[in-house]
Amino acid sequence: MTYAVIDVGGNQIIIEPGKFYDVNYIDANPGDLINLTRVLFFSKLNVYHIGTPCLTQVLVKATILKHVKGKKIKIFKVKPKKNNRQTKGHRQKLTRIFVEDIIS
C-alpha cells in the first residue's frame, strides 16, 4: 500500500493514489495537472521515508477536478444586556483534486 502525508494549503493530509480530496483553494483551472512537492512522509510496501521537514525526491501528481464551497458555518454573537445580536455566515472555497500518482 502506497500513501503519503503532504502539506497543502497549510493542512497536512494523508493521501493515496486513485482517490480525490478537498483542499484549500488552489488558483488553477479545472483539468490542470499540478505537482505537490511538500511531501512530509512517504510509505511504499512497508518502507518508510520521513522528511526533515520535506522529502525532495518524492513528487505527487494531481489533477484539479473542480472548485467547490465547503459546509456553511454560522457565527452568532450575543452581547448580554445590550440588546445586540449578530449573525454571520461563512463558506470556505475548496478545490477538489484527484491524486494520480506518487513518484519516488
Side-chain angles (χ1 to χ4, degrees):
M1 181 173 152
T2 302
Y3 66 95
V5 177
I6 62 169
D7 180 21
V8 59
N11 295 327
Q12 295 178 4
I13 303 171
I14 301 172
I15 61 166
E16 295 177 13
K19 295 187 178 181
F20 66 90
Y21 300 94
D22 290 338
V23 297
N24 284 340
Y25 183 78
I26 299 172
D27 191 19
N29 295 324
D32 287 352
L33 184 69
I34 58 171
N35 294 325
L36 304 171
T37 57
R38 292 193 48 87
V39 180
L40 306 173
F41 178 83
F42 176 67
S43 172
K44 184 173 187 178
L45 300 174
N46 292 330
V47 177
Y48 305 110
H49 301 284
I50 300 171
T52 55
C54 297
L55 296 167
T56 56
Q57 68 273 12
V58 181
L59 181 72
V60 176
K61 289 194 174 210
T63 303
I64 295 180
L65 296 178
K66 62 181 176 177
H67 298 294
V68 295
K69 287 187 177 180
K71 188 177 172 184
K72 185 159 198 160
I73 298 171
K74 287 194 173 188
I75 299 104
F76 185 67
K77 294 183 180 179
V78 176
K79 293 189 178 176
K81 301 182 199 123
K82 302 295 182 194
N83 197 17
N84 188 356
R85 290 176 171 82
Q86 186 178 25
T87 303
K88 289 184 181 179
H90 177 74
R91 289 184 74 177
Q92 184 73 28
K93 290 170 60 174
L94 301 172
T95 299
R96 183 163 288 167
I97 61 171
F98 177 75
V99 177
E100 294 182 4
D101 196 13
I102 302 173
I103 301 169
S104 60

